[in-house]
Amino acid sequence: MMLLDTMSSKNTETRNRILKASLGLLEASQGKDVRMSDIAKLAGISRQALYLHFSTRAELLIATTLYLDEIKGTDDRLTSSRTAETGQQRLDAYIDAWGHYIPEIYGIAKALLAMRDTDDAAAEAWDNRMQAMKEGCKAAIEALSRDNMLSPDHPPEDATDLLWTLLSIRNWEQLTLDCGWSQEKYIDRMKALARRNFVKDE
Amino acid sequence: MMLLDTMSSKNTETRNRILKASLGLLEASQGKDVRMSDIAKLAGISRQALYLHFSTRAELLIATTLYLDEIKGTDDRLTSSRTAETGQQRLDAYIDAWGHYIPEIYGIAKALLAMRDTDDAAAEAWDNRMQAMKEGCKAAIEALSRDNMLSPDHPPEDATDLLWTLLSIRNWEQLTLDCGWSQEKYIDRMKALARRNFVKDE
DNA sequence: GCGTCAACTTGACACGGTGTCAAGTAAACA
DNA sequence: TGTTTACTTGACACCGTGTCAAGTTGACGC
């Protein structure tokens, strides 16, 4: 009968060491070639002990993203755009927050994205996160709509779909890593693109 | 000493059966879970014989894309936009041709895309194809520029990067498969988006 | 008819990474 | 003292890719 115990089974401390190791490796390698045994080694435990905490690679990856959010305060940052006065400002603020956020999560995102094609659990986890991010897009578009500043070109749902797609991590990857755009350039252009497409003229 | 032989080693007929089988499976399964043994079985040969023709999975996949292009006449279709009179028409025509082309190559594209993260050969093959497609984007933007109709918002290179990114297969996938857009809707919206962003006002 | 060569066959096997199983250890606790 | 918890070591199954060796079959030239 445990009393003074650490509230949760399996030792929280070790669990955190695992998550920290996982995150570190994922960030360092941009998601490539990170095996369970690598993570175990860095966490200072045996590979098998890893499975006592996370029964599957996908599960560990998912837990790592949650851990990352906890550390970086994702939700706070992405919802800070709510304080904006106008819809236009809100759109800008959201793109700004998201644009700065991407590089921080890129490593783990890449790993999850790679698993998405083969592992259902990973796919679901990833889709959940992206759905949350889509909510942010939706909120920004609705703010525009409330201000009566949404371009008549698109119904709100379509504008949301488009904005969401525009801001995808794959697109960030292509523009910055493949095309060599700087982080500032990416953010500026995305803001301009969004403004021009979703904000009513004049 | 071969004389009446089939001009190439390893029997062209079998090779074609393999490519046909590969393409069929890739299309049917959208790129997922297609193993070498599946392809061999469908082609009516042993798994080992497959390796006599293609020494690696990546090599087979790449050959399959070339085979697909041959069948569908890719180059012709994508360069047909060259006949357009104005830059604006050319941009539309290119988006139209590409938009109709994507669903036809999606299965194999998805398979190659999944390998891109792990296999260097696959990554290079894919990047080559996408570079070719980028040339088309560049040509369209340059046609606009020649007509003095390119929006002053973007330098031509940036416009090319953006258009290329906008028309990525991942974006098509997200809008049609995830968001449920129809093929027509996708093409129409992409045209509208491109027009609004890259063509000078009024 | 004889050899030979090319295209294929069967069957075995190595490798890498994930996930499982069984048995043992070491410290914490009652 | 005995029990429980968190871990250890070591072995192993599975899957898919790619390799190797030895055999079969048919078409060819001579």
Side-chain angles (χ1 to χ4, degrees):
Chain A
M1 200 196 287
M2 52 171 181
L3 280 176
L4 254 167
D5 202 350
T6 43
M7 96 190 75
S8 155
S9 73
K10 300 285 175 55
N11 194 347
T12 307
E13 195 197 322
T14 306
R15 192 187 145 93
N16 277 341
R17 276 218 318 283
I18 293 171
L19 291 173
K20 196 175 167 186
S22 169
L23 186 54
L25 287 174
L26 253 10
E27 283 179 338
S29 73
Q30 304 276 70
K32 260 188 190 167
D33 295 329
V34 176
R35 288 153 300 193
M36 294 298 265
S37 53
D38 296 327
I39 297 170
K41 186 186 266 179
L42 187 58
I45 58 170
S46 68
R47 189 175 70 90
Q48 285 67 9
L50 215 51
Y51 286 95
L52 297 175
H53 292 265
F54 305 95
S55 63
T56 227
R57 189 174 131 89
E59 195 179 318
L60 171 55
L61 251 37
I62 293 165
T64 306
T65 68
L66 298 176
Y67 175 71
L68 177 65
D69 283 355
E70 200 183 303
I71 287 181
K72 306 256 180 178
T74 311
D75 290 349
D76 295 353
R77 287 167 57 185
L78 285 180
T79 55
S80 73
S81 58
R82 286 183 198 279
T83 63
E85 290 180 16
T86 70
Q88 157 88 268
Q89 281 167 357
R90 180 163 184 167
L91 181 62
D92 274 5
Y94 188 71
I95 294 176
D96 211 82
W98 174 247
H100 282 107
Y101 183 57
I102 295 177
E104 295 182 7
I105 60 165
Y106 180 63
I108 171 90
K110 197 80 208 280
L112 222 42
L113 234 22
M115 284 197 76
R116 205 191 107 102
D117 294 321
T118 54
D119 186 295
D120 286 345
E124 203 191 322
W126 179 255
D127 291 349
N128 277 344
R129 319 300 303 273
M130 285 306 102
Q131 215 53 43
M133 128 77 170
K134 190 173 183 178
E135 286 305 312
C137 293
K138 189 179 173 199
I141 294 294
E142 277 171 354
L144 269 184
S145 196
R146 263 196 306 279
D147 286 5
N148 199 30
M149 286 295 284
L150 181 64
S151 159
D153 287 13
H154 316 279
E157 305 80 42
D158 291 1
T160 301
D161 290 343
L162 270 176
L163 179 59
W164 181 51
T165 301
L166 218 61
L167 296 180
S168 75
I169 292 191
R170 299 283 194 188
N171 282 354
W172 175 88
E173 185 181 24
Q174 186 160 123
L175 289 171
T176 62
L177 303 186
D178 296 352
C179 298
W181 289 23
S182 73
Q183 186 61 13
E184 284 72 38
K185 183 172 176 179
Y186 167 81
I187 291 178
D188 285 353
R189 294 305 160 92
M190 282 298 147
K191 283 182 186 169
L193 206 69
R195 209 174 299 143
R196 185 147 189 181
N197 276 285
F198 304 123
V199 180
K200 199 186 274 182
D201 289 336
E202 133 266 22
Chain B
M1 199 198 289
M2 52 172 182
L3 279 177
L4 254 166
D5 202 349
T6 43
M7 98 192 73
S8 157
S9 73
K10 298 286 175 55
N11 194 348
T12 307
E13 194 197 323
T14 306
R15 191 187 146 94
N16 277 341
R17 276 216 321 283
I18 294 171
L19 291 173
K20 196 175 166 186
S22 169
L23 186 55
L25 287 175
L26 253 9
E27 283 180 339
S29 73
Q30 305 274 71
K32 260 187 187 164
D33 294 328
V34 176
R35 287 154 299 194
M36 294 298 266
S37 53
D38 297 326
I39 297 170
K41 186 187 268 179
L42 187 59
I45 57 170
S46 67
R47 189 175 70 89
Q48 285 68 8
L50 214 52
Y51 285 97
L52 296 176
H53 292 266
F54 305 96
S55 64
T56 228
R57 190 173 129 88
E59 194 179 319
L60 172 54
L61 251 38
I62 292 165
T64 307
T65 68
L66 298 176
Y67 175 71
L68 177 66
D69 282 356
E70 199 183 303
I71 286 181
K72 307 256 179 178
T74 310
D75 290 349
D76 295 353
R77 288 167 56 185
L78 285 179
T79 55
S80 72
S81 60
R82 285 181 198 279
T83 63
E85 289 180 17
T86 72
Q88 159 87 269
Q89 281 167 356
R90 179 162 185 166
L91 181 62
D92 274 6
Y94 188 70
I95 294 176
D96 210 81
W98 175 246
H100 281 107
Y101 183 56
I102 296 177
E104 295 182 7
I105 60 164
Y106 180 65
I108 171 89
K110 197 80 209 281
L112 222 41
L113 234 22
M115 285 197 75
R116 205 193 107 101
D117 294 320
T118 54
D119 187 295
D120 285 345
E124 202 191 322
W126 179 255
D127 291 349
N128 276 345
R129 318 301 300 275
M130 285 306 101
Q131 215 52 43
M133 127 78 170
K134 191 173 183 178
E135 286 304 313
C137 293
K138 189 179 173 200
I141 293 294
E142 277 171 356
L144 269 185
S145 195
R146 261 196 307 279
D147 286 5
N148 200 28
M149 284 297 283
L150 181 64
S151 159
D153 286 15
H154 316 279
E157 304 81 40
D158 291 1
T160 302
D161 291 343
L162 270 177
L163 179 60
W164 182 51
T165 301
L166 218 61
L167 296 180
S168 76
I169 292 190
R170 300 283 194 188
N171 282 356
W172 175 89
E173 185 180 26
Q174 185 159 124
L175 289 170
T176 61
L177 304 186
D178 297 352
C179 298
W181 288 24
S182 73
Q183 186 61 12
E184 285 71 38
K185 183 172 177 179
Y186 166 81
I187 290 178
D188 286 353
R189 294 306 161 91
M190 282 298 147
K191 282 182 188 170
L193 206 71
R195 209 174 299 143
R196 186 150 188 173
N197 276 285
F198 303 124
V199 180
K200 201 185 273 183
D201 288 336
E202 136 268 22

